[in-house]
Amino acid sequence: MVKISLIYARSENHCIGRDGQLPWKLPEEYAHFLRVTRGNAVIMGRRTYEENNSELQGCRNIVVSRSDKLVLPANVSRAGSLPEALSLCVDLADKVFVIGGVSLYREALPKAQEVYETVVMADLEGDTYIDAFDFTEWTTEQVKTHGVDASHAFAFTVFRHRRSRVTAGQSE
Ligand SMILES: NC(=O)c1ccc[n+]([C@@H]2O[C@H](COP(=O)([O-])OP(=O)(O)OC[C@H]3O[C@@H](n4cnc5c(N)ncnc54)[C@H](OP(=O)(O)O)[C@@H]3O)[C@@H](O)[C@H]2O)c1
Protein backbone atom coordinates (compact mmCIF):
# COMPACT_ATOMS: atom_id res chain seq x y z
CA MET A 1 0.00 0.00 0.00
CA VAL A 2 1.31 3.42 -0.91
CA LYS A 3 2.46 5.62 1.98
CA ILE A 4 1.18 9.19 2.06
CA SER A 5 3.40 11.97 3.34
CA LEU A 6 2.93 15.73 3.51
CA ILE A 7 5.76 18.21 3.20
CA TYR A 8 5.55 21.95 3.72
CA ALA A 9 7.31 24.96 5.16
CA ARG A 10 5.40 27.54 7.18
CA SER A 11 6.20 30.65 9.13
CA GLU A 12 5.44 30.80 12.85
CA ASN A 13 2.06 32.37 11.98
CA HIS A 14 1.37 29.56 9.43
CA CYS A 15 1.94 31.59 6.26
CA ILE A 16 3.02 29.37 3.30
CA GLY A 17 2.55 31.59 0.26
CA ARG A 18 2.44 35.10 -1.12
CA ASP A 19 1.48 36.15 -4.67
CA GLY A 20 1.67 32.54 -5.87
CA GLN A 21 5.23 32.11 -4.55
CA LEU A 22 6.96 31.12 -1.34
CA PRO A 23 7.31 34.12 1.02
CA TRP A 24 11.05 33.46 1.42
CA LYS A 25 14.19 32.30 -0.36
CA LEU A 26 15.87 29.64 1.77
CA PRO A 27 18.18 27.55 -0.45
CA GLU A 28 18.98 24.92 2.19
CA GLU A 29 15.28 24.44 2.97
CA TYR A 30 14.53 23.96 -0.72
CA ALA A 31 17.44 21.51 -0.99
CA HIS A 32 15.91 19.52 1.89
CA PHE A 33 12.55 19.49 0.05
CA LEU A 34 14.20 18.16 -3.12
CA ARG A 35 16.21 15.53 -1.21
CA VAL A 36 13.19 14.17 0.64
CA THR A 37 10.81 14.05 -2.33
CA ARG A 38 13.26 12.79 -4.99
CA GLY A 39 12.37 9.41 -6.48
CA ASN A 40 8.81 9.54 -5.16
CA ALA A 41 5.45 10.61 -6.54
CA VAL A 42 4.40 14.20 -5.81
CA ILE A 43 0.82 15.45 -5.83
CA MET A 44 0.19 19.19 -6.02
CA GLY A 45 -2.60 21.66 -6.65
CA ARG A 46 -2.66 23.60 -9.90
CA ARG A 47 -1.41 26.85 -8.31
CA THR A 48 1.53 25.08 -6.67
CA TYR A 49 2.45 23.53 -10.03
CA GLU A 50 2.34 26.97 -11.64
CA GLU A 51 4.58 28.34 -8.87
CA ASN A 52 7.21 25.67 -9.57
CA ASN A 53 6.85 26.49 -13.27
CA SER A 54 7.88 22.94 -14.15
CA GLU A 55 7.72 19.41 -12.89
CA LEU A 56 10.00 18.23 -10.08
CA GLN A 57 12.89 16.30 -11.61
CA GLY A 58 13.21 12.67 -10.51
CA CYS A 59 9.60 12.52 -9.33
CA ARG A 60 6.34 11.26 -10.76
CA ASN A 61 4.35 14.54 -10.94
CA ILE A 62 0.56 14.71 -10.61
CA VAL A 63 -1.31 18.00 -10.75
CA VAL A 64 -4.80 18.20 -9.24
CA SER A 65 -7.22 20.45 -11.12
CA ARG A 66 -10.93 20.44 -11.88
CA SER A 67 -10.19 21.75 -15.36
CA ASP A 68 -9.69 19.20 -18.12
CA LYS A 69 -8.34 22.04 -20.28
CA LEU A 70 -5.12 22.29 -18.26
CA VAL A 71 -2.15 21.90 -20.59
CA LEU A 72 0.63 19.80 -19.07
CA PRO A 73 3.84 18.22 -20.40
CA ALA A 74 3.55 14.55 -21.38
CA ASN A 75 5.38 13.38 -18.26
CA VAL A 76 2.98 15.21 -15.87
CA SER A 77 -0.44 13.74 -15.10
CA ARG A 78 -3.66 15.55 -14.21
CA ALA A 79 -6.14 14.24 -11.66
CA GLY A 80 -9.54 15.74 -10.92
CA SER A 81 -9.38 15.03 -7.19
CA LEU A 82 -7.02 13.81 -4.47
CA PRO A 83 -8.45 10.23 -4.52
CA GLU A 84 -7.95 10.12 -8.29
CA ALA A 85 -4.37 11.40 -7.88
CA LEU A 86 -3.67 8.73 -5.26
CA SER A 87 -5.11 6.03 -7.51
CA LEU A 88 -2.61 7.04 -10.22
CA CYS A 89 0.26 6.43 -7.79
CA VAL A 90 -0.52 2.79 -6.99
CA ASP A 91 2.42 0.66 -8.21
CA LEU A 92 4.37 3.79 -9.22
CA ALA A 93 6.14 4.71 -6.02
CA ASP A 94 6.53 3.54 -2.42
CA LYS A 95 5.79 6.99 -1.10
CA VAL A 96 3.52 9.77 -2.28
CA PHE A 97 4.20 13.31 -1.15
CA VAL A 98 1.41 15.85 -1.07
CA ILE A 99 3.28 19.11 -1.66
CA GLY A 100 0.45 21.65 -1.39
CA GLY A 101 -1.49 23.73 -1.32
CA VAL A 102 -3.85 24.37 1.53
CA SER A 103 -6.90 22.27 0.59
CA LEU A 104 -4.85 19.23 -0.46
CA TYR A 105 -2.89 19.33 2.82
CA ARG A 106 -6.18 19.50 4.74
CA GLU A 107 -7.73 16.62 2.79
CA ALA A 108 -4.63 14.42 2.84
CA LEU A 109 -3.64 14.77 6.50
CA PRO A 110 -6.13 12.15 7.85
CA LYS A 111 -4.66 9.58 5.44
CA ALA A 112 -1.00 10.53 6.04
CA GLN A 113 1.54 8.52 8.03
CA GLU A 114 4.24 11.18 7.97
CA VAL A 115 4.55 14.95 7.79
CA TYR A 116 7.72 16.92 7.13
CA GLU A 117 7.12 20.35 8.62
CA THR A 118 9.59 23.20 8.35
CA VAL A 119 9.01 26.09 10.72
CA VAL A 120 10.50 29.33 9.45
CA MET A 121 11.32 31.45 12.48
CA ALA A 122 9.40 34.60 11.59
CA ASP A 123 5.90 36.05 11.46
CA LEU A 124 5.29 36.81 7.78
CA GLU A 125 2.51 38.39 5.76
CA GLY A 126 1.07 36.52 2.81
CA ASP A 127 -2.15 35.36 1.18
CA THR A 128 -1.94 31.60 1.80
CA TYR A 129 -2.02 30.10 5.30
CA ILE A 130 -1.92 26.43 6.32
CA ASP A 131 -4.10 25.09 9.12
CA ALA A 132 -2.48 24.73 12.56
CA PHE A 133 -2.32 20.92 12.55
CA ASP A 134 -2.19 19.17 15.92
CA PHE A 135 0.72 16.73 16.15
CA THR A 136 0.48 16.03 19.89
CA GLU A 137 -0.58 12.40 19.20
CA TRP A 138 2.26 11.91 16.72
CA THR A 139 5.93 11.07 17.28
CA THR A 140 8.05 14.08 16.40
CA GLU A 141 11.77 14.29 15.71
CA GLN A 142 13.80 17.36 14.87
CA VAL A 143 15.58 16.65 11.59
CA LYS A 144 17.55 19.82 10.90
CA THR A 145 18.05 23.39 12.03
CA HIS A 146 19.60 26.22 10.05
CA GLY A 147 20.48 29.69 11.24
CA VAL A 148 20.48 33.09 9.60
CA ASP A 149 23.36 33.66 7.19
CA ALA A 150 24.13 35.56 3.98
CA SER A 151 21.80 33.29 1.94
CA HIS A 152 19.11 32.77 4.57
CA ALA A 153 17.24 35.77 5.95
CA PHE A 154 15.38 33.54 8.43
CA ALA A 155 16.36 30.61 10.62
CA PHE A 156 14.34 27.43 10.20
CA THR A 157 13.81 24.04 11.84
CA VAL A 158 12.65 20.87 10.10
CA PHE A 159 10.45 18.45 12.02
CA ARG A 160 9.36 14.96 10.98
CA HIS A 161 6.06 13.87 12.52
CA ARG A 162 5.04 10.21 12.32
CA ARG A 163 1.77 8.72 13.48
CA SER A 164 2.36 6.94 16.76
CA ARG A 165 -0.39 4.40 16.22
CA VAL A 166 -2.71 3.21 13.48
CA THR A 167 -5.94 5.21 13.42
CA ALA A 168 -9.01 5.16 11.25
CA GLY A 169 -8.56 6.83 7.89
CA GLN A 170 -4.96 5.75 7.43
CA SER A 171 -4.15 3.87 4.29
CA GLU A 172 -2.11 1.13 5.99
N1 LIG B 1 5.45 26.82 1.89
C1 LIG B 1 5.10 25.67 1.32
O1 LIG B 1 5.53 24.59 1.74
C2 LIG B 1 4.17 25.68 0.15
C3 LIG B 1 3.79 24.47 -0.45
C4 LIG B 1 2.91 24.53 -1.54
C5 LIG B 1 2.43 25.76 -1.98
N2 LIG B 1 2.85 26.90 -1.36
C6 LIG B 1 2.32 28.20 -1.77
O2 LIG B 1 0.91 28.15 -1.67
C7 LIG B 1 0.33 28.88 -2.75
C8 LIG B 1 -0.50 27.92 -3.60
O3 LIG B 1 -1.34 27.15 -2.77
P1 LIG B 1 -2.94 27.25 -2.84
O4 LIG B 1 -3.49 26.56 -1.65
O5 LIG B 1 -3.31 28.68 -3.08
O6 LIG B 1 -3.30 26.51 -4.20
P2 LIG B 1 -3.12 25.00 -4.72
O7 LIG B 1 -3.77 24.03 -3.79
O8 LIG B 1 -1.72 24.74 -5.10
O9 LIG B 1 -3.95 25.11 -6.06
C9 LIG B 1 -5.33 25.33 -5.99
C10 LIG B 1 -5.93 24.72 -7.21
O10 LIG B 1 -5.64 23.32 -7.24
C11 LIG B 1 -6.77 22.57 -7.66
N3 LIG B 1 -7.29 21.82 -6.53
C12 LIG B 1 -6.91 21.92 -5.22
N4 LIG B 1 -7.57 21.01 -4.48
C13 LIG B 1 -8.37 20.33 -5.34
C14 LIG B 1 -9.28 19.23 -5.18
N5 LIG B 1 -9.52 18.67 -3.99
N6 LIG B 1 -9.93 18.78 -6.28
C15 LIG B 1 -9.71 19.31 -7.51
N7 LIG B 1 -8.85 20.36 -7.72
C16 LIG B 1 -8.19 20.84 -6.64
C17 LIG B 1 -7.76 23.62 -8.16
O11 LIG B 1 -7.31 23.90 -9.49
P3 LIG B 1 -8.27 24.43 -10.67
O12 LIG B 1 -8.60 25.85 -10.29
O13 LIG B 1 -7.41 24.33 -11.91
O14 LIG B 1 -9.46 23.52 -10.70
C18 LIG B 1 -7.45 24.80 -7.26
O15 LIG B 1 -7.87 26.06 -7.78
C19 LIG B 1 1.49 29.48 -3.52
O16 LIG B 1 1.78 30.77 -3.01
C20 LIG B 1 2.62 28.53 -3.20
O17 LIG B 1 3.87 29.17 -3.32
C21 LIG B 1 3.69 26.88 -0.32
mmCIF file of all heavy atoms in Angstrom, residues 6-28:
data_model
loop_
_atom_site.group_PDB
_atom_site.id
_atom_site.type_symbol
_atom_site.label_atom_id
_atom_site.label_comp_id
_atom_site.label_asym_id
_atom_site.label_seq_id
_atom_site.Cartn_x
_atom_site.Cartn_y
_atom_site.Cartn_z
ATOM 1 N N LEU A 6 3.091 14.302 3.834
ATOM 2 C CA LEU A 6 2.934 15.730 3.512
ATOM 3 C C LEU A 6 4.285 16.387 3.713
ATOM 4 O O LEU A 6 5.058 15.960 4.597
ATOM 5 C CB LEU A 6 1.934 16.396 4.463
ATOM 6 C CG LEU A 6 0.447 16.377 4.121
ATOM 7 C CD1 LEU A 6 -0.065 14.959 3.912
ATOM 8 C CD2 LEU A 6 -0.369 17.059 5.216
ATOM 9 N N ILE A 7 4.555 17.416 2.953
ATOM 10 C CA ILE A 7 5.765 18.206 3.195
ATOM 11 C C ILE A 7 5.446 19.665 2.923
ATOM 12 O O ILE A 7 4.846 19.991 1.900
ATOM 13 C CB ILE A 7 6.975 17.694 2.359
ATOM 14 C CG1 ILE A 7 8.252 18.469 2.730
ATOM 15 C CG2 ILE A 7 6.700 17.725 0.867
ATOM 16 C CD1 ILE A 7 9.541 17.796 2.246
ATOM 17 N N TYR A 8 5.792 20.514 3.900
ATOM 18 C CA TYR A 8 5.550 21.946 3.723
ATOM 19 C C TYR A 8 6.484 22.736 4.623
ATOM 20 O O TYR A 8 7.068 22.203 5.574
ATOM 21 C CB TYR A 8 4.082 22.319 4.013
ATOM 22 C CG TYR A 8 3.610 22.001 5.410
ATOM 23 C CD1 TYR A 8 3.873 22.867 6.479
ATOM 24 C CD2 TYR A 8 2.885 20.847 5.667
ATOM 25 C CE1 TYR A 8 3.424 22.568 7.761
ATOM 26 C CE2 TYR A 8 2.428 20.551 6.942
ATOM 27 C CZ TYR A 8 2.713 21.416 7.996
ATOM 28 O OH TYR A 8 2.276 21.113 9.268
ATOM 29 N N ALA A 9 6.595 24.014 4.308
ATOM 30 C CA ALA A 9 7.313 24.962 5.160
ATOM 31 C C ALA A 9 6.345 26.082 5.489
ATOM 32 O O ALA A 9 5.626 26.567 4.600
ATOM 33 C CB ALA A 9 8.536 25.515 4.435
ATOM 34 N N ARG A 10 6.311 26.471 6.750
ATOM 35 C CA ARG A 10 5.397 27.536 7.184
ATOM 36 C C ARG A 10 6.130 28.487 8.110
ATOM 37 O O ARG A 10 7.112 28.107 8.779
ATOM 38 C CB ARG A 10 4.203 26.937 7.920
ATOM 39 C CG ARG A 10 4.591 26.214 9.235
ATOM 40 C CD ARG A 10 3.419 26.071 10.147
ATOM 41 N NE ARG A 10 3.699 25.360 11.378
ATOM 42 C CZ ARG A 10 4.067 25.932 12.519
ATOM 43 N NH1 ARG A 10 4.268 27.248 12.594
ATOM 44 N NH2 ARG A 10 4.264 25.215 13.603
ATOM 45 N N SER A 11 5.654 29.709 8.144
ATOM 46 C CA SER A 11 6.199 30.651 9.127
ATOM 47 C C SER A 11 5.561 30.360 10.488
ATOM 48 O O SER A 11 4.641 29.534 10.597
ATOM 49 C CB SER A 11 5.895 32.081 8.694
ATOM 50 O OG SER A 11 4.484 32.280 8.699
ATOM 51 N N GLU A 12 6.013 31.038 11.515
ATOM 52 C CA GLU A 12 5.438 30.797 12.851
ATOM 53 C C GLU A 12 3.944 31.099 12.884
ATOM 54 O O GLU A 12 3.201 30.470 13.617
ATOM 55 C CB GLU A 12 6.191 31.627 13.896
ATOM 56 C CG GLU A 12 7.593 31.075 14.124
ATOM 57 C CD GLU A 12 8.405 31.918 15.086
ATOM 58 O OE1 GLU A 12 8.558 33.140 14.815
ATOM 59 O OE2 GLU A 12 8.884 31.381 16.089
ATOM 60 N N ASN A 13 3.497 32.060 12.049
ATOM 61 C CA ASN A 13 2.058 32.372 11.977
ATOM 62 C C ASN A 13 1.367 31.618 10.820
ATOM 63 O O ASN A 13 0.313 32.034 10.361
ATOM 64 C CB ASN A 13 1.837 33.889 11.862
ATOM 65 C CG ASN A 13 2.503 34.495 10.631
ATOM 66 O OD1 ASN A 13 3.525 33.990 10.168
ATOM 67 N ND2 ASN A 13 1.937 35.551 10.084
ATOM 68 N N HIS A 14 1.985 30.520 10.377
ATOM 69 C CA HIS A 14 1.372 29.563 9.432
ATOM 70 C C HIS A 14 1.212 30.071 8.002
ATOM 71 O O HIS A 14 0.436 29.529 7.232
ATOM 72 C CB HIS A 14 0.018 29.047 9.966
ATOM 73 C CG HIS A 14 0.183 28.216 11.198
ATOM 74 N ND1 HIS A 14 0.132 28.745 12.465
ATOM 75 C CD2 HIS A 14 0.454 26.915 11.348
ATOM 76 C CE1 HIS A 14 0.349 27.800 13.350
ATOM 77 N NE2 HIS A 14 0.545 26.678 12.706
ATOM 78 N N CYS A 15 1.956 31.116 7.642
ATOM 79 C CA CYS A 15 1.943 31.589 6.256
ATOM 80 C C CYS A 15 2.786 30.628 5.397
ATOM 81 O O CYS A 15 3.890 30.236 5.795
ATOM 82 C CB CYS A 15 2.544 32.995 6.203
ATOM 83 S SG CYS A 15 2.577 33.695 4.553
ATOM 84 N N ILE A 16 2.239 30.234 4.218
ATOM 85 C CA ILE A 16 3.021 29.374 3.302
ATOM 86 C C ILE A 16 3.208 29.991 1.923
ATOM 87 O O ILE A 16 4.006 29.491 1.127
ATOM 88 C CB ILE A 16 2.416 27.962 3.150
ATOM 89 C CG1 ILE A 16 1.040 28.002 2.476
ATOM 90 C CG2 ILE A 16 2.368 27.228 4.477
ATOM 91 C CD1 ILE A 16 0.592 26.644 1.939
ATOM 92 N N GLY A 17 2.436 31.046 1.609
ATOM 93 C CA GLY A 17 2.551 31.593 0.260
ATOM 94 C C GLY A 17 2.188 33.064 0.179
ATOM 95 O O GLY A 17 1.446 33.588 1.022
ATOM 96 N N ARG A 18 2.755 33.685 -0.851
ATOM 97 C CA ARG A 18 2.442 35.101 -1.124
ATOM 98 C C ARG A 18 2.546 35.325 -2.631
ATOM 99 O O ARG A 18 3.567 34.977 -3.237
ATOM 100 C CB ARG A 18 3.448 35.998 -0.396
ATOM 101 C CG ARG A 18 3.165 37.484 -0.550
ATOM 102 C CD ARG A 18 4.353 38.332 -0.134
ATOM 103 N NE ARG A 18 4.708 38.132 1.265
ATOM 104 C CZ ARG A 18 5.963 38.177 1.735
ATOM 105 N NH1 ARG A 18 6.977 38.390 0.933
ATOM 106 N NH2 ARG A 18 6.207 37.999 3.018
ATOM 107 N N ASP A 19 1.489 35.856 -3.217
ATOM 108 C CA ASP A 19 1.476 36.146 -4.665
ATOM 109 C C ASP A 19 1.870 34.928 -5.494
ATOM 110 O O ASP A 19 2.612 35.048 -6.479
ATOM 111 C CB ASP A 19 2.417 37.320 -4.988
ATOM 112 C CG ASP A 19 2.002 38.599 -4.290
ATOM 113 O OD1 ASP A 19 0.796 38.763 -4.028
ATOM 114 O OD2 ASP A 19 2.893 39.416 -3.987
ATOM 115 N N GLY A 20 1.398 33.740 -5.090
ATOM 116 C CA GLY A 20 1.673 32.539 -5.867
ATOM 117 C C GLY A 20 3.077 31.977 -5.694
ATOM 118 O O GLY A 20 3.464 31.048 -6.402
ATOM 119 N N GLN A 21 3.849 32.540 -4.780
ATOM 120 C CA GLN A 21 5.231 32.107 -4.550
ATOM 121 C C GLN A 21 5.416 31.772 -3.070
ATOM 122 O O GLN A 21 4.544 32.037 -2.251
ATOM 123 C CB GLN A 21 6.210 33.249 -4.910
ATOM 124 C CG GLN A 21 6.102 33.755 -6.331
ATOM 125 C CD GLN A 21 6.638 32.769 -7.341
ATOM 126 O OE1 GLN A 21 7.693 32.194 -7.151
ATOM 127 N NE2 GLN A 21 5.891 32.550 -8.416
ATOM 128 N N LEU A 22 6.597 31.255 -2.754
ATOM 129 C CA LEU A 22 6.960 31.122 -1.338
ATOM 130 C C LEU A 22 7.306 32.505 -0.807
ATOM 131 O O LEU A 22 7.862 33.331 -1.540
ATOM 132 C CB LEU A 22 8.182 30.203 -1.179
ATOM 133 C CG LEU A 22 8.014 28.761 -1.648
ATOM 134 C CD1 LEU A 22 9.324 27.998 -1.459
ATOM 135 C CD2 LEU A 22 6.878 28.071 -0.910
ATOM 136 N N PRO A 23 7.021 32.782 0.469
ATOM 137 C CA PRO A 23 7.306 34.116 1.015
ATOM 138 C C PRO A 23 8.774 34.300 1.415
ATOM 139 O O PRO A 23 9.087 35.261 2.115
ATOM 140 C CB PRO A 23 6.403 34.200 2.267
ATOM 141 C CG PRO A 23 5.590 32.962 2.290
ATOM 142 C CD PRO A 23 6.262 31.956 1.412
ATOM 143 N N TRP A 24 9.635 33.390 1.030
ATOM 144 C CA TRP A 24 11.050 33.460 1.418
ATOM 145 C C TRP A 24 11.903 32.788 0.353
ATOM 146 O O TRP A 24 11.395 32.044 -0.485
ATOM 147 C CB TRP A 24 11.265 32.725 2.759
ATOM 148 C CG TRP A 24 10.612 31.382 2.755
ATOM 149 C CD1 TRP A 24 11.001 30.261 2.062
ATOM 150 C CD2 TRP A 24 9.403 31.007 3.431
ATOM 151 N NE1 TRP A 24 10.130 29.227 2.270
ATOM 152 C CE2 TRP A 24 9.145 29.655 3.108
ATOM 153 C CE3 TRP A 24 8.524 31.671 4.283
ATOM 154 C CZ2 TRP A 24 8.035 28.967 3.594
ATOM 155 C CZ3 TRP A 24 7.417 30.979 4.769
ATOM 156 C CH2 TRP A 24 7.176 29.649 4.427
ATOM 157 N N LYS A 25 13.206 33.047 0.447
ATOM 158 C CA LYS A 25 14.187 32.295 -0.357
ATOM 159 C C LYS A 25 15.140 31.656 0.640
ATOM 160 O O LYS A 25 15.941 32.351 1.271
ATOM 161 C CB LYS A 25 14.965 33.247 -1.277
ATOM 162 C CG LYS A 25 14.324 33.449 -2.616
ATOM 163 C CD LYS A 25 15.363 33.752 -3.709
ATOM 164 C CE LYS A 25 14.793 33.603 -5.098
ATOM 165 N NZ LYS A 25 13.633 34.468 -5.334
ATOM 166 N N LEU A 26 15.045 30.356 0.796
ATOM 167 C CA LEU A 26 15.872 29.636 1.768
ATOM 168 C C LEU A 26 16.470 28.421 1.049
ATOM 169 O O LEU A 26 15.887 27.333 1.033
ATOM 170 C CB LEU A 26 15.018 29.192 2.969
ATOM 171 C CG LEU A 26 14.378 30.311 3.800
ATOM 172 C CD1 LEU A 26 13.364 29.747 4.793
ATOM 173 C CD2 LEU A 26 15.466 31.106 4.535
ATOM 174 N N PRO A 27 17.631 28.603 0.413
ATOM 175 C CA PRO A 27 18.180 27.548 -0.447
ATOM 176 C C PRO A 27 18.335 26.193 0.251
ATOM 177 O O PRO A 27 18.058 25.152 -0.340
ATOM 178 C CB PRO A 27 19.541 28.107 -0.874
ATOM 179 C CG PRO A 27 19.442 29.574 -0.675
ATOM 180 C CD PRO A 27 18.450 29.825 0.409
ATOM 181 N N GLU A 28 18.770 26.209 1.505
ATOM 182 C CA GLU A 28 18.979 24.917 2.193
ATOM 183 C C GLU A 28 17.643 24.243 2.512
ATOM 184 O O GLU A 28 17.563 23.009 2.568
ATOM 185 C CB GLU A 28 19.786 25.120 3.480
ATOM 186 C CG GLU A 28 21.275 25.263 3.225
ATOM 187 C CD GLU A 28 21.876 24.028 2.542
ATOM 188 O OE1 GLU A 28 21.515 22.896 2.905
ATOM 189 O OE2 GLU A 28 22.687 24.204 1.621
#
